[in-house]
Amino acid sequence: MRATTLDDLQTPSGAPAVVLPRDAWEPRADAHAERADALTAVWRAARDRGDKHAVEDFLFTYYPTRVSHLRRWHPGPGVVLVGAAEHAGRRWYRDVALPDGGTGAALDTAAFLADRGDTVRFVRGLVAATAGRPGTFGCFGLHEWAMVYRDRAAGRDQRHPLPLRLGHEGTDAVVESHRVGCSHFDAFRFFTPEARERNQLRPTRERQPAMEQPGCLHAGMDLYKWALKLGPAVPGDLLLDAFELARDIRYTDMAAAPYDVSSYGVAAVAIETPEGKAEYVRRQRGFAERGQVLRAWLVDVCDALLGAVPAA
């Protein structure tokens, strides 16, 4: 690891790096780990019992990560942590020589960009584009229904080992009586073949930056994925805020799905009824508002990495 000075950490605008003594940053790191433990308590308890959790497993399989990664606090770019030997040994950190003769550790943005620059630019472009268009709030979570549509008729195994709240025929009838308009490719690609033809939109991976919109529950959950992909460049609070949003959305996603999740203490959002539709949209709008705050924050982090604005 190469040593550098505070002057080397200045951004193109000339803003100096923020220096945090250990008694300032260590309590933040401890609080971060405690918050991560609280947010993952239900999943960890199920794991320790050897049980599957049909709602929360998604957060650790589809978005593969470890609790230890969530517990690890990072300050983000442009911050020097004094006396942080545990950070100095981590990937993309470097030693910083301080004027008083001491040393600190900071994110090596040049090394990070050399390795992950394409990812930073992709995430910034996608997140900014999504944030810049209006949300759509009339899908009612039918993507989950489309993932099991006509499974029994086709002789396929069911996607989740959970009973269907309305049975197979009732589930198929809900899909057939609604307009399906899913804009998210990573949800659409799990549609059954019969359901794909019913989707009014044709999302593709290539069109993802042009189609994602802030009302989409999966686009909101994916903010956690983008925070993970930016790794140690993402401040700890942003990572856990994104995880918490993804967890909250996941519960609504499954509550509004065709599955009976009452065994997990989750009440159904019966989107086949007017009352259920209204509740779904109410939650959807709340998630969209939270997601827009996190999108702005992610764009700021990307811009700090790319040198467009002063670092934090």
Side-chain angles (χ1 to χ4, degrees), residues 42-47 49-63 144 147 158-164 218 221 246-247 249-266:
V42 170
W43 182 81
R44 288 185 294 107
R47 178 201 60 185
R49 293 192 305 268
D51 294 338
K52 299 290 186 181
H53 196 291
V55 180
E56 295 202 16
D57 281 351
F58 180 82
L59 301 169
F60 296 89
T61 55
Y62 183 78
Y63 302 116
E144 289 288 345
M147 293 178 191
Q158 193 169 299
R159 180 173 170 78
H160 283 290
L162 290 170
L164 295 177
H218 273 262
M221 284 193 286
R247 189 197 63 171
I249 291 175
R250 175 62 177 169
Y251 272 91
T252 287
D253 201 35
M254 290 298 283
Y259 307 108
D260 181 354
V261 289
S262 59
S263 60
Y264 291 92
V266 179

Side-chain angles (χ1 to χ4, degrees), residues 112 116-131 208-209 212 219 222-231 233-234 238 294-303 305-306:
F112 185 82
R116 306 302 303 277
D118 288 345
T119 298
V120 174
R121 285 181 280 272
F122 172 80
V123 170
R124 193 211 183 280
L126 174 63
V127 170
T130 304
Q208 187 175 11
E212 289 208 357
D222 278 354
L223 290 169
Y224 172 52
K225 175 169 70 176
W226 306 133
L228 286 173
K229 284 186 177 294
L230 295 180
V234 169
L238 174 52
L294 299 186
R295 288 186 180 94
W297 198 351
L298 276 170
V299 168
D300 284 348
V301 169
C302 291
D303 285 345
L305 289 169
L306 297 168

Side-chain angles (χ1 to χ4, degrees), residues 14 21-22 29 37 65 82 98 124 170 191 199 241 271 302:
R22 189 173 185 98
D37 287 344
T65 189
V82 179
L98 301 174
R124 193 211 183 280
F191 280 26
N199 195 30
D241 283 356
I271 58 93
C302 291

Side-chain angles (χ1 to χ4, degrees), residues 140 269-281:
F140 305 123
V269 177
I271 58 93
E272 70 275 13
T273 69
E275 296 79 12
K277 286 181 172 65
E279 175 62 15
Y280 185 88
V281 171

Side-chain angles (χ1 to χ4, degrees), residues 153-198:
R156 291 185 295 262
D157 290 334
Q158 193 169 299
R159 180 173 170 78
H160 283 290
L162 290 170
L164 295 177
R165 186 166 52 80
L166 302 180
H168 290 275
E169 292 76 14
T171 298
D172 293 346
V174 169
V175 176
E176 291 165 0
S177 64
H178 286 78
R179 172 189 177 275
V180 182
C182 180
S183 61
H184 195 271
F185 175 71
D186 282 315
F188 177 63
R189 67 190 177 97
F190 290 108
F191 280 26
T192 65
E194 298 85 354
R196 290 177 66 88
E197 299 304 315
R198 290 184 168 273

